[in-house]
Amino acid sequence: MNIQNSRFVTSAASPGAFIRDGKPQLVFAGRSNVGKSSVINRLVNMRGFAKVSGTPGKTAHVNYFLLDDGAYLADLPGYGYAKVSDAERRRWGELMEAYFDSGLVTAGFLIVDSRHKPTADDVTMAGWFAGTGTPVVVVANKLDKLKKSEVEPNLARIADTLGVADVLPFSAETGLNRDALVNRLAGFF
Ligand code: GDP
């Protein structure tokens, strides 16, 4: 399986605009600047597909991309950006809660930074997936930034902190494990 034909479909800023057509919805979440857009671009092999380093906090939308007509990739707004207003943060939380409660989420892909211990926001996001019984794949991005000796301990710390069994090491920069990630997505089609 490969991802050959992907296209942006629509943005939902409120629950009424969520897509409800029965196709699987594979959700991509991560704190801002973790490289989520870069991971998505690597996945679909298109530069500039998901916008890299857009204005953080200005995007309380669910952005839907259709992958090979089989499933949606639902890109969630990046979280944890300090300069977001309280009102915007609240709107984000309400949108996320409605989305997770909607029963529309098939699987989650939580992008974290392989260099760091997951943040409290990462733990909250993992909890949202777990709380709704949604399978989650944790993707440890920016692996190219680690020394060899850091890889195993860092991946173990991520798995421990988020309470998951396995973590997929990844680099949007080098393409490490791009095909493995495609296969994980394909498993939910
Ligand atoms: P987003 O805010 O999560 O969508 O993050 P972006 O995709 O905009 O990436 C944030 C920054 O991290 C950019 O400068 C990217 O070039 C960089 N970046 C993303 N992925 C990687 C990676 O795997 N390795 C390295 N070294 N840099 C990355």
Side-chain angles (χ1 to χ4, degrees):
M1 133 106 216
N2 208 338
I3 294 177
Q4 311 262 353
N5 296 295
S6 312
R7 61 183 175 86
F8 173 77
V9 178
T10 190
S11 268
S14 65
F18 293 155
I19 294 179
R20 298 165 193 273
D21 65 359
K23 288 194 175 85
Q25 299 191 12
L26 311 175
V27 169
F28 274 57
R31 68 175 178 74
S32 47
N33 219 35
V34 71
K36 179 160 56 68
S37 308
S38 302
V39 170
I40 293 170
N41 291 340
R42 174 61 77 173
L43 191 66
V44 301
N45 280 331
M46 280 191 268
R47 277 174 192 281
F49 183 72
K51 216 167 89 209
V52 172
S53 288
T55 314
K58 291 278 179 202
T59 49
H61 294 92
V62 177
N63 288 319
Y64 294 95
F65 301 92
L66 189 56
L67 305 176
D68 284 304
D69 289 340
Y72 293 105
L73 188 162
D75 184 17
L76 300 187
Y79 50 81
Y81 185 65
K83 288 182 185 161
V84 174
S85 71
D86 284 351
E88 189 64 12
R89 206 184 303 275
R90 204 160 41 240
R91 207 173 79 73
W92 184 92
E94 284 166 7
L95 188 69
M96 291 302 100
E97 219 166 299
Y99 191 39
F100 282 98
D101 284 349
S102 69
L104 293 167
V105 179
T106 307
F109 290 80
L110 179 57
I111 319 299
V112 299
D113 190 323
S114 59
R115 294 171 296 179
H116 309 304
K117 186 178 176 186
T119 65
D121 288 332
D122 292 329
V123 173
T124 300
M125 187 52 80
W128 266 340
F129 287 118
T132 52
T134 308
V136 65
V137 176
V138 174
V139 178
N141 190 36
K142 307 198 183 184
L143 203 89
D144 58 284
K145 297 240 190 191
L146 295 190
K147 293 186 204 132
K148 231 179 177 154
S149 62
E150 294 173 323
V151 172
E152 283 311 319
N154 282 29
L155 295 176
R157 180 173 63 175
I158 290 165
D160 275 3
T161 309
L162 296 176
V164 297
D166 78 313
V167 173
L168 181 68
F170 196 87
S171 170
E173 180 88 7
T174 68
L176 171 77
N177 277 335
R178 185 259 171 193
D179 291 348
L181 183 58
V182 171
N183 285 332
R184 301 300 287 269
L185 265 86
F188 297 110
F189 273 41

